[in-house]
Amino acid sequence: MTSCAPQQNAAPQATSGSAAPTATSAPATSTGPAATAPAATAPGTTGTAGADELCGPGSAINFDASQFQSSPNVDNKWFPLKPGMQYTTTGDVKSAEETKKRTVVHTVTGLTKVIDGVKTQVMWDRDYADGELVESELAFFAQTNSGTVWLFGEYPEEYENGKFTGAPSTFIHSLDEAQAGIAMQADPQTSTPSYVQAHAPNVDFLDCGQVFKLNDHVCVATGCYDDVLVIDERNPLEPAVGHQRKFYSAGTGLVKVTAVGGADQETLDLTKIEQLTDAKLKEVNQEALKLDTHAYQVSKNVYAKTDQAEVATETSAPASSPASTDSPTAQPGY
């Protein structure tokens, strides 16, 4: 999950319809982050009537471990996580000095990891700049009984010139003041408050999401998608960075990323959807487990306090999932 930030004290104006959003949409004023961390609450529960509204009015975190499934099954139509599915997004990151090609490979592993009593599903992302690996990340998600998907933490290893340099942005829910947040709402609607996607004050992580548009139409390399949901993301801790707009197709997930404001303009399009073979998923599980094991040595004060990840499945997503494709084809939204 890429951190992003807004223009100072800006929030998106929620809209609906099929017209494409523009970079000049007039934002409405929102409240900035609170100056102090949320007060402590009972184990497994965060968010009270007096909790900080870090992303503006109505954004207090209301986490309740008892509301999550005993075995993770993330089937939210905007954010489906089926083990063995792999999605590749490609694009550019433009700054005043240079433009770099960016490729991110998102793989849904067959691993689970228990965090604060909740069994989460493990995503493995690899981020490449001009063909060189710059980040390899494990991210942890779980879905409530009502269908809301939460992000429980990230372990992003950083690389420079092919060499591991550390994982300074690691955060795990319930450790070192970090709090889980909403990765995707069960029923996203426009004209609703922003929500916290995760908060980790000790690594300056605060992502805020807000439903920007419904029923958008988007075409990328893998096809054209109708009924697209657009989420505006920002980080009030980094007001100079700008917003990200993320486009989700029902049944597929993330299909496009655009930038609004900020010095570095990043755009990404979904270019390949692949259902891995069982043999390939087994390899992915082993590589992700190596990353999990390495994290205990790298992040001794945070990650080392978690339970180890476990293999839950070595069977890839069913054949009814989207087939592998890396060329433009007509693919309507679901």
Side-chain angles (χ1 to χ4, degrees):
M1 188 178 218
T2 303
S3 179
C4 52
Q7 299 163 344
Q8 185 67 41
N9 296 327
Q13 179 180 3
T15 62
S16 63
S18 58
T22 66
T24 57
S25 296
T29 301
S30 69
T31 304
T36 58
T41 57
T45 304
T46 60
T48 66
D52 290 331
E53 295 180 325
L54 298 167
C55 296
S59 67
I61 298 173
N62 292 290
F63 174 87
D64 184 350
S66 69
Q67 297 302 307
F68 289 86
Q69 305 162 341
S70 58
S71 181
N73 176 33
V74 180
D75 61 0
N76 180 304
K77 70 178 183 178
W78 305 109
F79 204 91
L81 297 181
K82 300 177 182 178
M85 295 305 300
Q86 188 172 87
Y87 306 87
T88 302
T89 55
T90 61
D92 298 317
V93 179
K94 296 181 180 179
S95 66
E97 298 79 21
E98 61 183 352
T99 297
K100 288 191 174 183
K101 294 291 184 182
R102 187 181 180 202
T103 299
V104 185
V105 181
H106 314 267
T107 307
V108 185
T109 75
L111 305 184
T112 59
K113 187 178 185 73
V114 175
I115 297 176
D116 194 27
V118 176
K119 186 173 287 188
T120 69
Q121 201 165 345
V122 182
M123 173 83 81
W124 179 30
D125 289 346
R126 285 162 289 170
D127 193 339
Y128 300 86
D130 288 340
E132 181 179 286
L133 181 69
V134 294
E135 186 175 277
S136 181
E137 173 185 278
L138 298 179
F140 311 97
F141 300 92
Q143 184 172 296
T144 64
N145 293 321
S146 63
T148 299
V149 182
W150 287 66
L151 171 67
F152 279 71
E154 297 176 353
Y155 173 70
E157 288 196 347
E158 298 176 4
Y159 295 82
E160 187 172 348
N161 298 321
K163 295 183 179 179
F164 169 71
T165 60
S169 298
T170 299
F171 72 92
I172 299 292
H173 168 72
S174 78
L175 298 175
D176 206 22
E177 299 186 63
Q179 294 175 281
I182 295 173
M184 183 57 67
Q185 296 172 315
D187 184 25
Q189 297 293 328
T190 56
S191 302
T192 53
S194 296
Y195 52 90
V196 178
Q197 295 179 316
H199 181 220
N202 290 325
V203 296
D204 295 326
F205 187 103
L206 173 59
D207 272 5
C208 301
Q210 186 171 22
V211 179
F212 182 78
K213 182 174 291 188
L214 299 173
N215 302 317
D216 203 4
H217 177 79
V218 171
C219 289
V220 292
T222 53
C224 291
Y225 300 84
D226 296 315
D227 190 27
V228 170
L229 164 71
V230 185
I231 301 294
D232 185 279
E233 293 188 0
R234 54 193 175 89
N235 180 355
L237 303 179
E238 298 181 359
V241 174
H243 295 250
Q244 274 192 331
R245 298 267 165 80
K246 293 187 176 179
F247 299 72
Y248 296 86
S249 172
T252 298
L254 184 68
V255 297
K256 190 177 186 68
V257 178
T258 62
V260 179
D264 294 339
Q265 296 285 306
E266 177 183 65
T267 59
L268 292 168
D269 286 352
L270 182 63
T271 55
K272 187 174 184 179
I273 302 171
E274 183 176 3
Q275 179 186 321
L276 303 179
T277 64
D278 289 353
K280 186 63 177 178
L281 176 58
K282 186 174 181 179
E283 292 179 15
V284 162
N285 288 344
Q286 292 306 310
E287 290 301 315
L289 282 174
K290 289 179 183 178
L291 198 56
D292 178 72
T293 299
H294 190 221
Y296 285 85
Q297 303 169 5
V298 174
S299 179
K300 294 182 179 180
N301 294 327
V302 176
Y303 202 93
K305 296 179 181 179
T306 67
D307 293 339
Q308 289 185 310
E310 298 179 340
V311 177
T313 178
E314 291 182 327
T315 302
S316 193
S320 58
S321 297
S324 172
T325 177
D326 55 5
S327 59
T329 57
Q331 183 176 336
Y334 289 75

